[in-house]
Amino acid sequence: MRSGPAKKRSCAPCCRRTATRAGVLRYKVEPYVSAADVYSVAPHVGRGGWTWYTGSAGWLYQAGVESILGLRVQADSLVIDPCIPTAWPEFCMTPRYRGAVYEITVRNPRHVSCGVAAVELDGASQAVSDGKARVKLCEDRGVHAILVTLGPAPVR
């Protein structure tokens, strides 16, 4: 067992790059924004560039919301197809679409990375297709609860 304060670690690459004085002096840009570039050619290896660049924010959004949390709007449906670390027991998100609010809970009782086993909209079971949840979007300005359970698809 270690004594003394535990060292905090962040999963954000920019925070790791500035975890030490040497890292701060090398990175040279704000650690709290998304940098579009981190140079890999001498003499600027590890230096950040193009901070506050809106293009990098868009890519970060797409990676986080669409690729990891798996949330996409396709035509008149909300598709939920997460790809998460197996250690995540669940996560929640609350997107809004044309006045309607969707309170989404994704549970991961089997500790899998991907694959939707079941989905409910306002307590009613919905069909799962190809391991993805697909829920028809509403424009009723109501609040809707979506419960997604990850795991292997049920055998039919």
Side-chain angles (χ1 to χ4, degrees):
M1 180 179 289
R2 289 189 300 165
S3 61
K7 183 176 179 183
K8 286 189 175 183
R9 291 190 59 190
S10 170
C11 63
C14 59
C15 294
R16 283 197 307 263
R17 288 188 177 100
T18 58
T20 64
R21 180 167 169 67
V24 169
L25 294 173
R26 180 176 41 254
Y27 193 57
K28 296 188 183 218
V29 296
E30 307 92 333
Y32 45 82
V33 296
S34 177
D37 297 317
V38 177
Y39 303 114
S40 61
V41 177
H44 302 295
V45 173
R47 183 175 181 175
W50 284 77
T51 59
W52 298 100
Y53 175 62
T54 57
S56 64
W59 282 110
L60 188 59
Y61 172 88
Q62 187 172 357
V65 174
E66 295 182 6
S67 298
I68 297 170
L69 301 181
L71 184 67
R72 289 181 203 84
V73 174
Q74 291 182 343
D76 63 347
S77 297
L78 185 61
V79 176
I80 306 168
D81 181 25
C83 185
I84 60 172
T86 57
W88 286 14
E90 75 175 34
F91 67 90
C92 300
M93 53 188 157
T94 308
R96 289 164 172 67
Y97 183 80
R98 296 189 178 168
V101 176
Y102 295 90
E103 295 175 342
I104 302 170
T105 300
V106 177
R107 293 190 178 146
N108 190 11
R110 299 279 192 105
H111 304 285
V112 298
S113 286
C114 57
V116 173
V119 61
E120 294 178 6
L121 171 63
D122 296 329
S125 290
Q126 305 289 303
V128 174
S129 177
D130 296 323
K132 300 175 187 175
R134 183 177 296 272
V135 176
K136 183 131 170 84
L137 290 164
C138 303
E139 295 185 31
D140 62 359
R141 298 195 171 281
V143 177
H144 301 279
I146 298 175
L147 174 61
V148 175
T149 304
L150 299 182
V155 179
R156 300 196 192 270

